[in-house]
């Protein structure tokens, strides 16, 4: 039976088994969490899952990039929430041990309007397309332009 004094690696396997994730997400969670386990030296859940250890590891992961550091922080926070829900590790007041961990902010994307030249190129490409879906694509473009919807919103 696992408890807070059991090795972190055993809890990672339990977390991955309990979490409903897509295969790629499961692989990413497992990779990041096992890297955290290696970073902390394979110690118990109670000793490893601290705000100091998590912050130090995220600083190390930041060397790989801000997106990797953001993912690492979010995966650790999800793991800490699972540890709380599973009654393995909780702070007084019933909050997860990494509740104060801040994920590094990622840069916001920039959206630019389509220029008239770009729009002319799009219409020319659609007009020359022998594809049987050409009319649907043209209608889709008109919908986007007329409403200002984003692609995902229009779908």
């Amino acid at each position: 039976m696992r408890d807070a004094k059991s090795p972190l690696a055993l809890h990672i396997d339990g977390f991955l088994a309990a979490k409903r994730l897509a295969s790629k997400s499961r692989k990413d969670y497992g990779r990041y969490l096992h890297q955290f386990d290696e970073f902390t030296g394979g110690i118990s859940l109670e000793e490893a899952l601290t705000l100091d250890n998590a912050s130090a590891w995220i600083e190390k992961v930041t060397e790989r990039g801000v997106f990797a550091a953001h993912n690492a922080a979010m995966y650790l926070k999800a793991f800490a929430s699972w540890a709380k829900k599973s009654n393995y590790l909780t702070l007084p007041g019933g909050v997860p041990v990494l509740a104060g961990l801040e994920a590094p902010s990622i840069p916001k994307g920039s959206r630019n309007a389509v220029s008239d030249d770009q729009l002319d190129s799009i219409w020319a490409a659609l007009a020359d397309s022998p594809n049987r879906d050409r009319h649907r694509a043209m209608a889709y473009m008109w919908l986007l332009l007329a409403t200002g919807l984003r692609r995902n919103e229009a779908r």
Side-chain angles (χ1 to χ4, degrees), residues 16-149:
L16 294 174
K19 201 81 164 138
R20 298 180 83 191
L21 298 168
S23 61
K24 183 186 181 329
S25 296
R26 182 177 310 285
K27 182 179 173 183
D28 288 343
Y29 269 84
R31 183 170 40 94
Y32 274 93
L33 293 174
H34 283 293
Q35 288 171 1
F36 178 69
D37 184 36
E38 290 173 22
F39 176 79
T40 58
I43 55 180
S44 70
L45 172 71
E46 184 177 57
E47 296 170 318
L49 206 55
T50 65
L51 202 50
D52 291 337
N53 285 344
S55 296
W57 184 60
I58 291 186
E59 282 299 317
K60 183 180 179 211
V61 174
T62 302
E63 296 169 3
R64 292 186 352 221
V66 68
F67 293 101
H70 179 80
N71 288 344
M74 298 311 289
Y75 294 164
L76 275 180
K77 286 177 73 97
F79 182 68
S81 293
W82 171 82
K84 177 207 163 278
K85 287 178 189 171
S86 300
N87 294 321
Y88 289 124
L89 199 57
T90 306
L91 289 178
V95 296
V97 293
L98 297 182
L101 183 67
E102 293 291 326
S105 58
I106 53 176
K108 301 287 184 212
S110 61
R111 293 178 46 92
N112 298 324
V114 178
S115 72
D116 289 338
D117 291 337
Q118 291 171 328
L119 194 53
D120 289 340
S121 298
I122 291 170
W123 288 125
L126 287 175
D128 292 341
S129 174
N131 191 336
R132 63 186 177 127
D133 295 333
R134 177 175 56 132
H135 295 292
R136 180 173 34 179
M138 291 173 82
Y140 184 63
M141 278 300 300
W142 277 114
L143 174 69
L144 295 178
L145 290 171
T147 62
L149 290 173

